[in-house]
């Protein structure tokens, strides 16, 4: 098989300034295209931002007015999917003639979701994955995804899927992606800890898949002046230090990790290595023991309210809004 060049981009958001972030993304895409990549993965919440250090004015049992203003500002920076920003990102993919996977903050009505978007080399939006379980205080500002957005896409760059940040610690979610034959595991994240490296190597080895983990590198200078984060106001303060990495199906690191700077990591991969690796461990195949264990995945979309008319049948709330 002809080697496939893939990349992860370690970069930060211009927080609450989505047009500027898109400008930065375009520059990174142009740089990646010059390296000949066919797939590039951007970090979690890259478009829309990860507001690290904000409290959103909440303590147990109380919410304060300043937190509502912070949420409003965050909501305004989020994007509709599909929408004008997804068209713009699609144009980056089309210019590169490459696949893009990018973390965004998606808004639907007044609710925000942490989402990974998939684009084809023709610029088409292939689909999305909404984070199933926001972590800790992320639950203040992000809704939960459902089983309808757990896709694995068959592409020229492999069978692509994504698990966002601590979703990678959900065994059932991992098994659901393994069972769909994923061979390029995209892991957009903001987890900068050393243990993350062990996790990425474990998933690559367990799933016999290539793992592409893109983490943000963001400093206080990437946030606006009015940004009351607990890390302080020194513009040189690092809010997210990176740690992006690429791992092969034998759990071996083949690019990275890189810390404390923006970077584009590349690797030439052979998708046949997935089959070579599954010779002795296929956790969704000959190593699964379905006579003992089973997993049921509900992939139906869940809507809070459903409306039915005699003329059209069931309508969901989003259909009515449109």
């Amino acid at each position: 098989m002809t080697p496939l060049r893939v990349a992860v981009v370690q970069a930060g958001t211009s927080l609450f300034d989505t047009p500027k972030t898109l400008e930065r993304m375009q520059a990174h895409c142009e740089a990646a295209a010059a390296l000949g990549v066919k797939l590039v993965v951007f970090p979690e919440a890259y478009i829309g931002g990860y507001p690290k250090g904000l409290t959103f004015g909440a303590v147990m049992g109380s919410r304060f007015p300043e937190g509502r203003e912070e949420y409003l500002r965050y909501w305004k920076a989020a994007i509709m999917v599909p929408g004008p920003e997804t068209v713009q990102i699609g144009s980056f993919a089309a210019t590169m003639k490459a696949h893009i996977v990018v973390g965004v903050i998606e808004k639907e009505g007044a609710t925000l979701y942490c989402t990974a978007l998939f684009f084809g080399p023709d610029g088409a939006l292939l689909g999305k994955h909404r984070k199933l379980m926001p972590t800790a205080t992320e639950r203040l500002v992000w809704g939960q995804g459902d089983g309808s957005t757990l896709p694995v896409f068959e592409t020229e760059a492999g069978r692509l899927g994504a698990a966002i940040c601590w979703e990678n610690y959900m065994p059932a979610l991992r098994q659901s992606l393994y069972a769909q034959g994923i061979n390029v595991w995209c892991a957009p994240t903001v987890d900068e800890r050393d243990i993350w490296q062990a996790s990425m190597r474990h998933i690559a080895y367990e799933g016999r898949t290539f793992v592409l983990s893109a983490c943000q590198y963001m400093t206080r200078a990437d946030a606006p002046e009015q940004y009351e984060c607990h890390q302080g106001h020194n513009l040189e303060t690092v809010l997210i230090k990176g740690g992006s990495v690429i791992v092969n199906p034998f759990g071996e690191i083949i690019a990275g990790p890189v810390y404390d700077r923006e970077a584009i990591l590349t690797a030439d991969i052979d998708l046949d290595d997935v089959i070579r690796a599954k010779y002795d461990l296929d956790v969704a195949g000959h190593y699964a023991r379905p006579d003992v264990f089973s997993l049921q995945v509900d992939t139906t979309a869940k809507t809070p309210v459903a409306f039915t008319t005699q003329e059209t049948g069931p309508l969901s709330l989003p259909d009515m809004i449109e």
Side-chain angles (χ1 to χ4, degrees):
M1 179 172 286
T2 303
L4 176 76
R5 180 159 294 180
V6 298
V8 296
V9 173
Q10 180 163 291
T13 299
S14 294
L15 204 55
F16 306 126
D17 189 342
T18 296
K20 184 175 180 181
T21 302
L22 287 165
E23 289 179 8
R24 293 174 67 176
M25 182 180 184
Q26 182 176 13
H28 290 305
C29 286
E30 291 171 353
L35 299 173
V37 305
K38 296 303 179 185
L39 166 66
V40 59
V41 180
F42 283 83
E44 177 183 17
Y46 182 68
I47 304 299
Y50 191 87
K52 188 165 183 179
L54 290 189
T55 66
F56 286 92
V59 297
M60 189 67 75
S62 298
R63 271 76 53 204
F64 299 102
E66 59 270 23
R68 299 185 188 279
E69 294 304 314
E70 287 179 349
Y71 183 78
L72 175 62
R73 179 165 61 165
Y74 195 31
W75 181 88
K76 288 181 176 179
I79 68 172
M80 299 287 289
V81 178
E85 292 85 2
T86 62
V87 172
Q88 189 172 355
I89 297 169
S91 73
F92 302 161
T95 299
M96 295 176 67
K97 296 181 174 57
H99 292 79
I100 291 177
V101 180
V102 58
V104 306
I105 301 303
E106 175 193 3
K107 58 185 172 187
E108 184 176 291
T111 296
L112 302 180
Y113 297 92
C114 181
T115 300
L117 302 181
F118 300 79
F119 294 86
D122 60 353
L125 175 60
L126 302 178
K128 68 183 179 183
H129 164 58
R130 283 179 173 172
K131 193 173 186 177
L132 286 178
M133 180 53 65
T135 302
T137 52
E138 292 173 357
R139 296 174 203 173
L140 283 171
V141 292
W142 295 345
Q144 295 177 331
D146 61 32
S148 68
T149 67
L150 287 172
V152 169
F153 298 97
E154 180 76 55
T155 77
E156 303 91 334
R159 294 184 59 82
L160 307 179
I164 304 170
C165 207
W166 276 26
E167 284 188 317
N168 287 272
Y169 295 130
M170 299 174 70
L173 184 147
R174 295 203 306 270
Q175 185 68 354
S176 74
L177 294 179
Y178 298 152
Q180 293 181 71
I182 189 171
N183 57 24
V184 179
W185 181 288
C186 303
T189 189
V190 295
D191 194 330
E192 61 188 1
R193 301 168 307 146
D194 292 340
I195 193 66
W196 185 255
Q197 304 302 316
S199 299
M200 295 299 94
R201 295 186 67 185
H202 169 81
I203 289 170
Y205 194 80
E206 175 184 73
R208 297 313 213 220
T209 178
F210 288 95
V211 171
L212 279 61
S213 178
C215 186
Q216 287 206 35
Y217 170 70
M218 190 172 77
T219 70
R220 178 60 182 77
D222 290 312
E225 183 177 351
Q226 298 301 316
Y227 187 73
E228 299 299 326
C229 65
H230 74 85
Q231 293 94 336
H233 296 283
N234 185 335
L235 297 183
E236 296 180 357
T237 297
V238 175
L239 301 181
I240 307 170
K241 69 178 181 180
S244 300
V245 68
I246 301 175
V247 190
N248 73 16
F250 295 99
E252 300 163 340
I253 293 175
I254 55 177
V258 172
Y259 295 94
D260 296 321
R261 63 181 176 89
E262 291 197 345
I264 299 176
L265 282 67
T266 65
D268 293 326
I269 66 173
D270 179 356
L271 293 175
D272 281 346
D273 281 346
V274 172
I275 305 303
R276 295 182 180 105
K278 287 186 177 182
Y279 158 64
D280 55 359
L281 179 65
D282 183 356
V283 295
H286 63 75
Y287 229 82
R289 289 302 306 272
D291 55 323
V292 180
F293 305 108
S294 64
L295 174 65
Q296 185 174 13
V297 182
D298 185 351
T299 60
T300 58
K302 309 298 183 183
T303 56
V305 181
F307 296 86
T308 302
T309 69
Q310 286 185 332
E311 292 80 10
T312 63
L315 288 176
S316 68
L317 185 58
D319 291 330
M320 294 196 69
I321 293 172
E322 290 176 3

